[in-house]
Amino acid sequence: MRLDEKLARVSDASPAIDSQRLLSLCAGKPDVLIQCLELLIAEVASNRLQVDQALAANDARALGVGVHNLRGSMSLIGAAQARDLAAAIENDVDAGDVRTVANQWQKLDRELNQCMANVRALLRALDEPEAHF
Amino acid sequence: MKPELSGRTIKIATVDDHPMTRLALKTVIEQHPQWQVTDEFSTPDAFQASLRKSEPDVVIIDLLFNEGSGLDLVEYLKAFHPSIRCLVYSARTEKHYAERCLRAGAHGYACKDEPIDVIPEAIERVLKNDVYLSPQLTRRITETFVRRQQQNPAASDEQAIESLSNRELEVLQLIGQGYNTKQIAESVCRSVKTIETYRYRIKKKLGITSGTELAQYALVHREGINADAAR
């Protein structure tokens, strides 16, 4: 099965991410896509930890950077809902309004769970033995 | 493309603290046979330090870092390494960030919100000494400009454009379309020296001090210039 077909199949079942964006990111190369997704999983985990720690420490600068990084990662893979939630939090942090962030962060955290589940499903699909590119 | 760049490998550096972004950029950029990502950096400081040894032709810079600032890096490059073409690649889609980056000396601003396929076009444009601005930002900035003009028809930008002669306006219009001096000269059947004189006069009338600012002005005010030219 070709990479674009495999991506389309997985993204039909995982609408949180955009298969066309993923194809663009790797220029159609499956090995690059696998590397990108593995890096993404590590980056998102690190940024989620940064946001959790920043919220606990009431550190607006670290919170802003962590959320901004998540916004960037979600933009690149076309995860529109997660991207928009991150952008809303980032704008509130920039405006100095951090009162609602904890609530918004819970929503984003749930959406990130969904996206990362989709990414892992995609990685499994890319590892399937019938994958011939 | 600048003459000194034609026919040789274009060296491109990336400065972004996301390893995935750097990998994706390298993959997309190196689809072009003459472009090579020669260095990747995760902080502005690391890139700045590398400039003691060598300069890339183009650098792609993220805006926000845990350590350092992409905007400060753009300002530094404009002041100390003006030959490096700077393309900002950020998740920030708000127009005031793009405006600040262009004012600071960036030659382009692309949004991570758009498919990464825009990057080759953005690189092409900055290599031609033109300005690249993501389509969604161009639209927003233009809408704001038009709204301001509607609210205040006597605004200074419009007056400045009106003060240009027909030939100067035509040259400004071509700059906004991405033409370089040589291409403009060919297009209007004048010498390069004559076009340089027009560029000097336009800059003087618009209160602009550099070629980059002129290209940015022509791009941002493209609709206003075209409307004026059509009158």
Side-chain angles (χ1 to χ4, degrees):
Chain A
M1 189 183 292
R2 285 174 17 203
L3 179 59
D4 55 346
E5 292 169 346
K6 187 157 283 248
L7 282 172
R9 197 186 69 187
V10 175
S11 73
D12 281 349
S14 321
I17 52 180
D18 181 338
S19 61
Q20 284 305 312
R21 291 289 177 99
L22 295 178
L23 260 180
S24 299
L25 281 185
C26 67
K29 297 174 182 172
D31 56 328
V32 175
L33 181 57
I34 289 170
Q35 280 185 68
C36 278
L37 296 178
E38 286 172 346
L39 289 169
L40 175 76
I41 290 170
E43 282 176 33
V44 169
S46 165
N47 288 314
R48 290 171 93 167
L49 183 63
Q50 176 168 344
V51 172
D52 281 333
Q53 289 174 342
L55 280 171
N58 208 17
D59 181 345
R61 157 85 184 159
L63 176 62
V65 175
V67 171
H68 173 79
N69 287 342
L70 288 167
R71 178 182 179 181
S73 300
M74 295 301 106
S75 296
L76 280 176
I77 62 168
Q81 197 160 344
R83 175 202 64 204
D84 292 346
L85 286 166
I89 297 175
E90 189 183 4
N91 288 336
D92 284 351
V93 173
D94 281 352
D97 183 6
V98 292
R99 288 166 303 172
T100 57
V101 167
N103 208 12
Q104 289 176 291
W105 172 240
Q106 283 181 1
K107 284 186 200 168
L108 175 56
D109 203 40
R110 281 196 295 274
E111 188 61 27
L112 289 171
N113 283 338
Q114 182 63 47
C115 290
M116 291 301 100
N118 292 171
V119 167
R120 287 191 187 90
L122 183 54
L123 272 174
R124 281 195 299 276
L126 288 167
D127 269 344
E128 281 173 12
E130 76 274 20
H132 298 297
F133 307 117
Chain B
M1 192 183 296
K2 290 191 283 186
E4 67 271 24
L5 297 179
S6 61
R8 71 159 171 87
T9 299
I10 302 296
K11 295 184 288 179
I12 300 171
T14 57
V15 189
D16 195 306
D17 53 2
H18 299 240
M20 181 185 75
T21 307
R22 295 199 304 268
L23 173 61
L25 283 171
K26 182 177 171 64
T27 305
V28 171
I29 288 167
E30 292 189 347
Q31 294 294 298
H32 191 292
Q34 271 188 287
W35 296 351
Q36 191 182 1
V37 175
T38 47
D39 283 302
E40 299 178 29
F41 304 91
S42 59
T43 67
D45 281 355
F47 173 63
Q48 255 177 263
S50 80
L51 293 172
R52 287 183 215 121
K53 292 179 188 165
S54 67
E55 283 189 0
D57 300 303
V58 179
V59 59
I60 300 177
I61 305 169
D62 192 8
L63 264 190
L64 194 62
F65 293 84
N66 273 312
E67 290 172 30
S69 151
L71 191 58
D72 289 348
L73 179 58
V74 170
E75 285 174 344
Y76 169 82
L77 292 173
K78 184 184 180 186
F80 298 106
H81 300 270
S83 64
I84 301 175
R85 315 297 294 167
C86 296
L87 174 63
V88 174
Y89 185 45
S90 173
R92 292 198 141 147
T93 55
E94 297 82 1
K95 68 180 174 61
H96 57 274
Y97 289 107
E99 286 171 339
R100 277 188 205 184
C101 288
L102 294 175
R103 276 201 299 269
H107 304 93
Y109 191 101
C111 297
K112 290 181 180 173
D113 202 22
E114 290 165 354
I116 200 165
D117 306 337
V118 302
I119 292 296
E121 185 198 338
I123 293 171
E124 292 274 8
R125 291 192 72 128
V126 301
L127 282 171
K128 284 181 193 164
N129 271 341
D130 192 9
V131 173
Y132 177 85
L133 191 57
S134 88
Q136 58 171 306
L137 286 169
T138 304
R139 192 173 57 247
R140 281 187 214 162
I141 289 172
T142 305
E143 281 167 3
T144 306
F145 167 76
V146 170
R147 196 166 50 247
R148 280 185 194 150
Q149 294 301 303
Q150 285 166 344
Q151 286 165 356
N152 180 12
S156 58
D157 279 336
E158 188 172 315
Q159 286 174 339
I161 291 169
E162 280 177 2
S163 74
L164 301 178
S165 71
N166 289 343
R167 182 63 85 187
E168 288 163 353
L169 187 64
E170 186 182 7
V171 169
L172 186 61
Q173 201 175 11
L174 292 169
I175 293 169
Q177 290 166 14
Y179 284 58
N180 61 30
T181 302
K182 186 166 177 279
Q183 290 167 326
I184 295 170
E186 285 166 5
S187 175
V188 299
C189 302
R190 292 285 186 279
S191 70
V192 167
K193 200 172 176 188
T194 303
I195 301 306
E196 281 169 354
T197 304
Y198 281 126
R199 287 175 65 103
Y200 170 77
R201 284 188 198 151
I202 295 167
K203 283 193 285 187
K204 200 172 172 191
K205 286 185 180 178
L206 299 180
I208 286 169
T209 54
S210 73
T212 302
E213 271 182 70
L214 180 61
Q216 289 165 356
Y217 186 98
L219 181 76
V220 170
H221 296 86
R222 193 157 49 185
E223 283 207 358
I225 295 163
N226 290 344
D228 222 90
R231 278 182 206 157

